[in-house]
Amino acid sequence: MTVTKPSNAKYLSLLGALASLALGCGDGSGTTDAGNVQIFVEAEDTIPNGLSAGMGEENILDGWNVKYSRFVIAIGNFRASRSDATDKLTAPGVYVLDLMNVPAGGYIVHTWNGVEATRWDRFGFDLPNAGADAKALEPTTDADKALLVDNKASVYIEGEIDNGTTKKTFKWALPAGTSFDDCADENGLAGFAVPAGGSVAIKPTIHGDHWFFNSVTAGVELTERYAQYIADSDLDMDGETTIAELQAVKDADLAKAFPADKYNLSGVVIESAYDYVLAQARTLGDFQGEGECPTRGELP
């Protein structure tokens, strides 16, 4: 059998066509060894659903039910890198999000396209004190944004505790700007893996129960939940516990609000009930649901 070889011109044309096909199968960067990373912000179900009194692992143990009516955060400055390379991914924007009204598809705050398909084992983000350049993502309103910007706060919450006979409300703007790094899932797997030719969703997760913890956690949340201190801090007994009242709960009153047989507050400086709330607000940022971001730093 005789094999007819193409002319040089036809051969070069064929090579060019094959190269074009190969590029078309990739991610647009000329390689199939890349994928995309979508960053979602997720609200723990304690935010829309509240917490119930009871003796279960995640109940409020001293008889109070908790319900939020407003829960607004500032989040941003997403970053990722690899411990085995100098590659970095950054997304420096800051967003204000209403976590009581998360859209059906979730808050997709950023997408990194054409990312090398490997494990990026370092991921972090900030819950910063909001500035005027922060962007409110729908259905978050400008009024929500103002609650943070006007108070130079990273989180704003409104809600109530109710034990069946007594109700106490609270409205707290908390300037608890914090960076969260070295995020890992609940199994301790650091960062995220990018699939070749596909996408991975990563989820910074905001928890809504930390100011009820009986310890300030830095890792796995082995803790109990109490709410009596909020009721005790309503010093004028008008039904609302304010920031000013939390700041006034000191010394003997502080020891009464956080008794040593229920609370372990070692490792943090707590000189008032407000310090306790602020310290807990600096732990709200988690990862992929129940994963942790143990490296934290205070932000101005």
Side-chain angles (χ1 to χ4, degrees), residues 13-34 197:
S13 177
L14 178 60
L15 285 178
L18 289 172
S20 296
L21 284 173
L23 287 173
C25 293
D27 68 330
S29 64
T31 176
T32 57
D33 295 329

Side-chain angles (χ1 to χ4, degrees), residues 46 51-65 209 212-214 221-226:
T46 56
L51 297 98
S52 299
M55 300 308 294
E57 190 175 285
E58 297 191 0
N59 290 143
I60 302 293
L61 298 181
D62 53 4
W64 294 93
N65 298 294
D209 58 351
F212 304 108
F213 284 5
N214 69 338
E221 295 169 4
L222 300 175
T223 186
E224 296 176 344
R225 293 159 178 79
Y226 300 99

Side-chain angles (χ1 to χ4, degrees), residues 43-283:
E44 184 191 42
D45 61 7
T46 56
I47 293 175
N49 298 337
L51 297 98
S52 299
M55 300 308 294
E57 190 175 285
E58 297 191 0
N59 290 143
I60 302 293
L61 298 181
D62 53 4
W64 294 93
N65 298 294
V66 179
K67 182 169 66 175
Y68 294 109
S69 55
R70 212 161 191 176
F71 203 118
V72 183
I73 64 157
I75 189 169
N77 299 324
F78 303 100
R79 51 199 174 266
S81 61
R82 296 165 46 193
S83 58
D84 63 349
T86 59
D87 300 347
K88 293 182 179 181
L89 303 170
T90 59
V94 173
Y95 305 91
V96 176
L97 307 180
D98 170 7
L99 296 187
M100 291 296 293
N101 296 287
V102 177
Y107 283 114
I108 303 175
V109 293
H110 191 78
T111 300
W112 285 311
N113 294 311
V115 176
E116 185 174 352
T118 186
R119 174 158 291 280
W120 295 74
D121 60 346
R122 292 174 176 166
F123 175 73
F125 61 94
D126 294 345
L127 295 180
N129 298 320
D133 57 346
K135 181 180 180 181
L137 296 186
E138 293 184 352
T140 310
T141 66
D142 288 339
D144 293 323
K145 175 181 170 180
L147 289 171
L148 297 186
V149 174
D150 292 350
N151 291 287
K152 299 179 181 179
S154 60
V155 58
Y156 177 88
I157 60 173
E158 292 184 16
E160 64 181 43
I161 61 171
D162 188 330
N163 67 1
T165 59
T166 302
K167 180 189 295 185
K168 302 289 184 179
T169 64
F170 50 88
K171 298 178 182 179
W172 299 340
L174 302 171
T178 306
S179 61
F180 296 84
D181 285 287
D182 296 321
C183 300
D185 67 19
E186 62 182 320
N187 297 313
L189 195 58
F192 55 89
V194 179
S199 295
V200 61
I202 60 175
K203 299 179 180 180
T205 308
I206 309 304
H207 284 206
D209 58 351
H210 287 203
W211 21 72
F212 304 108
F213 284 5
N214 69 338
S215 62
V216 180
T217 62
V220 179
E221 295 169 4
L222 300 175
T223 186
E224 296 176 344
R225 293 159 178 79
Y226 300 99
Q228 185 64 42
Y229 82 92
I230 297 178
D232 292 343
S233 298
D234 178 18
L235 302 181
D236 62 7
M237 300 296 290
D238 68 347
E240 179 183 359
T241 298
T242 66
I243 290 287
E245 287 174 318
L246 291 172
Q247 292 170 331
V249 176
K250 299 179 178 181
D251 303 324
D253 291 333
L254 183 67
K256 180 181 178 182
F258 303 101
D261 62 337
K262 289 184 177 180
Y263 286 84
N264 176 9
L265 301 181
S266 61
V268 292
V269 178
I270 304 293
E271 296 181 350
S272 71
Y274 175 72
D275 291 339
Y276 166 82
V277 173
L278 205 62
Q280 297 292 17
R282 296 188 186 280
T283 71

